[in-house]
Amino acid sequence: MTAHEKFASVRYIVDDVQAAVDFYTGRLGFEVRMSAAPAFADVVRGPLRLLLSGPSSSGARATPDEHAVAGRNRIHLLVEDLDAEIDRLKGAGVPFRSERVTGPGGSQVLVADPAGNLVEIFQPAARS
């Protein structure tokens, strides 16, 4: 298996690559694979690879102006204890974008990275 086959990659356009790297590594458990800050960084968590593209990166420059803002898309990170994760993230000063929401599949809360991209923190419902 090649390195490209190991990961599902998502590109997030960010205002400040280093702030995004600090957020994803310091708050959400990602590891830096490669950094060319301030233009670009590549961080991973399990099989998820985030391509963090700053304003000077080729990924950001290829984005048409009308789409160069954060959208409603988000990554989805699984946790075992959502309440504990909410407490930890609040203690770290992470901005929340929703209250806890619970449905048949589980519970979730939305946080934002430094550029405003959404991250869903999700605890699956217990299955019998």
PDB file of all heavy atoms in Angstrom, residues 69-88:
ATOM      1  N   VAL A  69     -14.238  30.842   0.801  1.00  0.00           N
ATOM      2  CA  VAL A  69     -14.611  30.998   2.210  1.00  0.00           C
ATOM      3  C   VAL A  69     -14.927  29.623   2.786  1.00  0.00           C
ATOM      4  O   VAL A  69     -15.228  28.681   2.048  1.00  0.00           O
ATOM      5  CB  VAL A  69     -15.829  31.935   2.370  1.00  0.00           C
ATOM      6  CG1 VAL A  69     -15.502  33.339   1.891  1.00  0.00           C
ATOM      7  CG2 VAL A  69     -17.033  31.406   1.621  1.00  0.00           C
ATOM      8  N   ALA A  70     -14.873  29.543   4.096  1.00  0.00           N
ATOM      9  CA  ALA A  70     -15.215  28.274   4.734  1.00  0.00           C
ATOM     10  C   ALA A  70     -16.670  27.936   4.453  1.00  0.00           C
ATOM     11  O   ALA A  70     -17.540  28.805   4.468  1.00  0.00           O
ATOM     12  CB  ALA A  70     -14.984  28.369   6.237  1.00  0.00           C
ATOM     13  N   GLY A  71     -16.935  26.676   4.156  1.00  0.00           N
ATOM     14  CA  GLY A  71     -18.295  26.256   3.833  1.00  0.00           C
ATOM     15  C   GLY A  71     -18.917  25.449   4.950  1.00  0.00           C
ATOM     16  O   GLY A  71     -18.455  25.475   6.084  1.00  0.00           O
ATOM     17  N   ARG A  72     -19.953  24.741   4.627  1.00  0.00           N
ATOM     18  CA  ARG A  72     -20.648  23.926   5.623  1.00  0.00           C
ATOM     19  C   ARG A  72     -20.062  22.535   5.725  1.00  0.00           C
ATOM     20  O   ARG A  72     -20.524  21.727   6.507  1.00  0.00           O
ATOM     21  CB  ARG A  72     -22.130  23.847   5.267  1.00  0.00           C
ATOM     22  CG  ARG A  72     -22.807  25.194   5.418  1.00  0.00           C
ATOM     23  CD  ARG A  72     -24.260  25.083   5.170  1.00  0.00           C
ATOM     24  NE  ARG A  72     -24.804  24.033   6.038  1.00  0.00           N
ATOM     25  CZ  ARG A  72     -25.976  24.082   6.606  1.00  0.00           C
ATOM     26  NH1 ARG A  72     -26.742  25.106   6.415  1.00  0.00           N
ATOM     27  NH2 ARG A  72     -26.414  23.102   7.357  1.00  0.00           N
ATOM     28  N   ASN A  73     -19.053  22.233   4.941  1.00  0.00           N
ATOM     29  CA  ASN A  73     -18.392  20.937   5.044  1.00  0.00           C
ATOM     30  C   ASN A  73     -17.608  20.881   6.338  1.00  0.00           C
ATOM     31  O   ASN A  73     -17.210  21.900   6.885  1.00  0.00           O
ATOM     32  CB  ASN A  73     -17.435  20.729   3.865  1.00  0.00           C
ATOM     33  CG  ASN A  73     -18.173  20.735   2.564  1.00  0.00           C
ATOM     34  OD1 ASN A  73     -19.209  20.114   2.440  1.00  0.00           O
ATOM     35  ND2 ASN A  73     -17.655  21.452   1.592  1.00  0.00           N
ATOM     36  N   ARG A  74     -17.390  19.672   6.844  1.00  0.00           N
ATOM     37  CA  ARG A  74     -16.606  19.536   8.055  1.00  0.00           C
ATOM     38  C   ARG A  74     -16.049  18.124   8.147  1.00  0.00           C
ATOM     39  O   ARG A  74     -16.604  17.191   7.583  1.00  0.00           O
ATOM     40  CB  ARG A  74     -17.440  19.854   9.286  1.00  0.00           C
ATOM     41  CG  ARG A  74     -18.672  18.969   9.421  1.00  0.00           C
ATOM     42  CD  ARG A  74     -19.523  19.499  10.555  1.00  0.00           C
ATOM     43  NE  ARG A  74     -20.679  18.684  10.818  1.00  0.00           N
ATOM     44  CZ  ARG A  74     -21.932  19.118  10.694  1.00  0.00           C
ATOM     45  NH1 ARG A  74     -22.169  20.346  10.299  1.00  0.00           N
ATOM     46  NH2 ARG A  74     -22.945  18.341  10.980  1.00  0.00           N
ATOM     47  N   ILE A  75     -14.950  18.018   8.874  1.00  0.00           N
ATOM     48  CA  ILE A  75     -14.447  16.691   9.176  1.00  0.00           C
ATOM     49  C   ILE A  75     -15.190  16.179  10.400  1.00  0.00           C
ATOM     50  O   ILE A  75     -15.786  16.950  11.158  1.00  0.00           O
ATOM     51  CB  ILE A  75     -12.921  16.655   9.364  1.00  0.00           C
ATOM     52  CG1 ILE A  75     -12.481  17.550  10.512  1.00  0.00           C
ATOM     53  CG2 ILE A  75     -12.219  17.006   8.068  1.00  0.00           C
ATOM     54  CD1 ILE A  75     -11.024  17.398  10.869  1.00  0.00           C
ATOM     55  N   HIS A  76     -15.161  14.883  10.583  1.00  0.00           N
ATOM     56  CA  HIS A  76     -15.960  14.186  11.591  1.00  0.00           C
ATOM     57  C   HIS A  76     -14.999  13.332  12.404  1.00  0.00           C
ATOM     58  O   HIS A  76     -14.431  12.372  11.884  1.00  0.00           O
ATOM     59  CB  HIS A  76     -16.972  13.341  10.808  1.00  0.00           C
ATOM     60  CG  HIS A  76     -17.833  12.431  11.582  1.00  0.00           C
ATOM     61  ND1 HIS A  76     -19.058  12.794  12.035  1.00  0.00           N
ATOM     62  CD2 HIS A  76     -17.656  11.145  11.955  1.00  0.00           C
ATOM     63  CE1 HIS A  76     -19.635  11.771  12.647  1.00  0.00           C
ATOM     64  NE2 HIS A  76     -18.788  10.767  12.613  1.00  0.00           N
ATOM     65  N   LEU A  77     -14.773  13.711  13.670  1.00  0.00           N
ATOM     66  CA  LEU A  77     -13.836  12.989  14.515  1.00  0.00           C
ATOM     67  C   LEU A  77     -14.592  12.231  15.598  1.00  0.00           C
ATOM     68  O   LEU A  77     -15.413  12.803  16.312  1.00  0.00           O
ATOM     69  CB  LEU A  77     -12.849  13.960  15.175  1.00  0.00           C
ATOM     70  CG  LEU A  77     -12.006  14.800  14.219  1.00  0.00           C
ATOM     71  CD1 LEU A  77     -11.118  15.746  15.002  1.00  0.00           C
ATOM     72  CD2 LEU A  77     -11.186  13.917  13.296  1.00  0.00           C
ATOM     73  N   LEU A  78     -14.314  10.932  15.718  1.00  0.00           N
ATOM     74  CA  LEU A  78     -14.969  10.088  16.713  1.00  0.00           C
ATOM     75  C   LEU A  78     -14.252  10.173  18.054  1.00  0.00           C
ATOM     76  O   LEU A  78     -13.023  10.190  18.102  1.00  0.00           O
ATOM     77  CB  LEU A  78     -14.974   8.632  16.254  1.00  0.00           C
ATOM     78  CG  LEU A  78     -15.781   8.316  15.005  1.00  0.00           C
ATOM     79  CD1 LEU A  78     -15.610   6.859  14.621  1.00  0.00           C
ATOM     80  CD2 LEU A  78     -17.242   8.646  15.202  1.00  0.00           C
ATOM     81  N   VAL A  79     -15.044  10.225  19.122  1.00  0.00           N
ATOM     82  CA  VAL A  79     -14.512  10.183  20.477  1.00  0.00           C
ATOM     83  C   VAL A  79     -15.321   9.176  21.282  1.00  0.00           C
ATOM     84  O   VAL A  79     -16.460   8.856  20.938  1.00  0.00           O
ATOM     85  CB  VAL A  79     -14.543  11.567  21.162  1.00  0.00           C
ATOM     86  CG1 VAL A  79     -13.659  12.561  20.416  1.00  0.00           C
ATOM     87  CG2 VAL A  79     -15.956  12.106  21.275  1.00  0.00           C
ATOM     88  N   GLU A  80     -14.739   8.677  22.360  1.00  0.00           N
ATOM     89  CA  GLU A  80     -15.442   7.723  23.220  1.00  0.00           C
ATOM     90  C   GLU A  80     -16.289   8.420  24.275  1.00  0.00           C
ATOM     91  O   GLU A  80     -17.279   7.858  24.742  1.00  0.00           O
ATOM     92  CB  GLU A  80     -14.439   6.792  23.891  1.00  0.00           C
ATOM     93  CG  GLU A  80     -13.783   5.842  22.909  1.00  0.00           C
ATOM     94  CD  GLU A  80     -12.836   4.877  23.605  1.00  0.00           C
ATOM     95  OE1 GLU A  80     -12.959   4.671  24.827  1.00  0.00           O
ATOM     96  OE2 GLU A  80     -11.980   4.332  22.902  1.00  0.00           O
ATOM     97  N   ASP A  81     -15.898   9.640  24.703  1.00  0.00           N
ATOM     98  CA  ASP A  81     -16.594  10.352  25.774  1.00  0.00           C
ATOM     99  C   ASP A  81     -16.737  11.818  25.373  1.00  0.00           C
ATOM    100  O   ASP A  81     -15.827  12.623  25.595  1.00  0.00           O
ATOM    101  CB  ASP A  81     -15.815  10.202  27.077  1.00  0.00           C
ATOM    102  CG  ASP A  81     -16.510  10.817  28.275  1.00  0.00           C
ATOM    103  OD1 ASP A  81     -17.438  11.637  28.089  1.00  0.00           O
ATOM    104  OD2 ASP A  81     -16.117  10.490  29.408  1.00  0.00           O
ATOM    105  N   LEU A  82     -17.875  12.151  24.780  1.00  0.00           N
ATOM    106  CA  LEU A  82     -18.086  13.510  24.277  1.00  0.00           C
ATOM    107  C   LEU A  82     -18.062  14.536  25.399  1.00  0.00           C
ATOM    108  O   LEU A  82     -17.492  15.616  25.240  1.00  0.00           O
ATOM    109  CB  LEU A  82     -19.401  13.596  23.489  1.00  0.00           C
ATOM    110  CG  LEU A  82     -19.688  14.942  22.836  1.00  0.00           C
ATOM    111  CD1 LEU A  82     -18.599  15.336  21.847  1.00  0.00           C
ATOM    112  CD2 LEU A  82     -21.043  14.906  22.140  1.00  0.00           C
ATOM    113  N   ASP A  83     -18.661  14.229  26.541  1.00  0.00           N
ATOM    114  CA  ASP A  83     -18.670  15.186  27.644  1.00  0.00           C
ATOM    115  C   ASP A  83     -17.254  15.536  28.093  1.00  0.00           C
ATOM    116  O   ASP A  83     -16.934  16.709  28.312  1.00  0.00           O
ATOM    117  CB  ASP A  83     -19.483  14.654  28.828  1.00  0.00           C
ATOM    118  CG  ASP A  83     -20.971  14.585  28.525  1.00  0.00           C
ATOM    119  OD1 ASP A  83     -21.467  15.427  27.760  1.00  0.00           O
ATOM    120  OD2 ASP A  83     -21.634  13.676  29.050  1.00  0.00           O
ATOM    121  N   ALA A  84     -16.410  14.538  28.208  1.00  0.00           N
ATOM    122  CA  ALA A  84     -15.019  14.781  28.607  1.00  0.00           C
ATOM    123  C   ALA A  84     -14.289  15.601  27.543  1.00  0.00           C
ATOM    124  O   ALA A  84     -13.500  16.497  27.868  1.00  0.00           O
ATOM    125  CB  ALA A  84     -14.295  13.453  28.845  1.00  0.00           C
ATOM    126  N   GLU A  85     -14.571  15.318  26.290  1.00  0.00           N
ATOM    127  CA  GLU A  85     -13.924  16.064  25.202  1.00  0.00           C
ATOM    128  C   GLU A  85     -14.394  17.512  25.187  1.00  0.00           C
ATOM    129  O   GLU A  85     -13.601  18.433  24.969  1.00  0.00           O
ATOM    130  CB  GLU A  85     -14.205  15.374  23.866  1.00  0.00           C
ATOM    131  CG  GLU A  85     -13.333  15.832  22.739  1.00  0.00           C
ATOM    132  CD  GLU A  85     -11.859  15.480  22.894  1.00  0.00           C
ATOM    133  OE1 GLU A  85     -11.467  14.728  23.812  1.00  0.00           O
ATOM    134  OE2 GLU A  85     -11.066  15.989  22.089  1.00  0.00           O
ATOM    135  N   ILE A  86     -15.681  17.740  25.425  1.00  0.00           N
ATOM    136  CA  ILE A  86     -16.204  19.109  25.494  1.00  0.00           C
ATOM    137  C   ILE A  86     -15.512  19.865  26.623  1.00  0.00           C
ATOM    138  O   ILE A  86     -15.053  21.004  26.438  1.00  0.00           O
ATOM    139  CB  ILE A  86     -17.739  19.101  25.673  1.00  0.00           C
ATOM    140  CG1 ILE A  86     -18.416  18.638  24.376  1.00  0.00           C
ATOM    141  CG2 ILE A  86     -18.250  20.478  26.098  1.00  0.00           C
ATOM    142  CD1 ILE A  86     -19.904  18.358  24.509  1.00  0.00           C
ATOM    143  N   ASP A  87     -15.408  19.250  27.798  1.00  0.00           N
ATOM    144  CA  ASP A  87     -14.739  19.896  28.927  1.00  0.00           C
ATOM    145  C   ASP A  87     -13.288  20.213  28.596  1.00  0.00           C
ATOM    146  O   ASP A  87     -12.787  21.305  28.897  1.00  0.00           O
ATOM    147  CB  ASP A  87     -14.802  19.004  30.175  1.00  0.00           C
ATOM    148  CG  ASP A  87     -16.203  18.899  30.762  1.00  0.00           C
ATOM    149  OD1 ASP A  87     -17.078  19.748  30.433  1.00  0.00           O
ATOM    150  OD2 ASP A  87     -16.428  17.958  31.550  1.00  0.00           O
ATOM    151  N   ARG A  88     -12.590  19.269  27.973  1.00  0.00           N
ATOM    152  CA  ARG A  88     -11.178  19.471  27.627  1.00  0.00           C
ATOM    153  C   ARG A  88     -11.005  20.614  26.647  1.00  0.00           C
ATOM    154  O   ARG A  88     -10.161  21.492  26.819  1.00  0.00           O
ATOM    155  CB  ARG A  88     -10.590  18.176  27.051  1.00  0.00           C
ATOM    156  CG  ARG A  88      -9.080  18.242  26.798  1.00  0.00           C
ATOM    157  CD  ARG A  88      -8.577  16.971  26.141  1.00  0.00           C
ATOM    158  NE  ARG A  88      -8.983  16.868  24.754  1.00  0.00           N
ATOM    159  CZ  ARG A  88      -8.402  17.533  23.743  1.00  0.00           C
ATOM    160  NH1 ARG A  88      -7.416  18.378  23.962  1.00  0.00           N
ATOM    161  NH2 ARG A  88      -8.813  17.348  22.504  1.00  0.00           N
TER     162      ARG A  88
END
